[in-house]
Amino acid sequence: NWGCDAVGVDAAEKLIELARTAYPGLAFAVGDLRALPYPDQSFDALLARYSVIHTAPDEVPTVVAEFARVLRPGGCLLVEFQSSGSAPTHALDHAAAPAWAWNCDEFGALLGHAGFLERARLLCPAQPDLKYAPTPEAHLIFHKSGRSLGPEPLAG
């Protein structure tokens, strides 16, 4: 325990059930990243580990706007996802559901437009010999500034 309250959110009720069974002392909620079930400025930090990859690119600006809505000014956001490297965002072969590998600059621009400021970026190359890391990975740390331009549609 780090002295903070935390809640896990997933759209899949079955995954929330599994999480509650594995970690009965923690809070979990079924929720949609496009409409998080929390009031404005509810959190000091958000961690989105591989949770945006199954959201269609045209809906990701709404997710980013939700992150900005529920995060307090100055709050920290860590977003991790499969990256397209220097290529444009594209569909990713994924066994469970449709998925996308994001270009870090494109994702960072969406975050910037929503009022986030970049603090750090770690890009990890693909590890073809490792089953769990066959594509590049991105780890972006941003913090929420005091201003937001609102959701921005992706250029098509």
Side-chain angles (χ1 to χ4, degrees):
N1 185 339
W2 290 2
C4 59
D5 296 325
V7 62
V9 177
D10 199 289
E13 197 166 323
K14 181 63 177 173
L15 291 179
I16 292 298
E17 272 180 41
L18 292 170
R20 286 178 179 149
T21 300
Y23 303 97
L26 300 179
F28 296 96
V30 176
D32 184 335
L33 292 180
R34 296 165 298 181
L36 291 167
Y38 302 100
D40 295 357
Q41 300 183 11
S42 294
F43 298 100
D44 292 315
L46 296 175
L47 170 62
R49 293 196 73 229
Y50 304 93
S51 56
V52 297
I53 66 164
H54 297 295
T55 304
D58 63 337
E59 295 181 7
V60 169
T62 302
V63 170
V64 168
E66 275 296 280
F67 289 168
R69 182 184 68 76
V70 301
L71 194 61
R72 291 183 185 107
C76 185
L77 170 66
L78 170 58
V79 181
E80 299 175 327
F81 51 87
Q82 281 85 6
S83 173
S84 64
S86 58
T89 299
H90 63 267
L92 178 66
D93 184 25
H94 194 282
W100 288 266
W102 274 87
N103 175 286
C104 288
D105 291 332
E106 290 177 33
F107 204 96
L110 291 174
L111 291 169
H113 190 77
F116 288 97
L117 301 172
E118 186 168 348
R119 288 296 179 222
R121 178 185 294 202
L122 174 63
L123 303 176
C124 301
Q127 304 293 316
D129 57 326
L130 298 177
K131 182 179 179 180
Y132 64 87
T135 60
E137 297 175 348
H139 309 268
L140 308 179
I141 299 175
F142 279 67
H143 87 268
K144 182 181 173 184
S145 70
R147 66 169 194 81
S148 173
L149 301 175
E152 175 181 276
L154 293 176

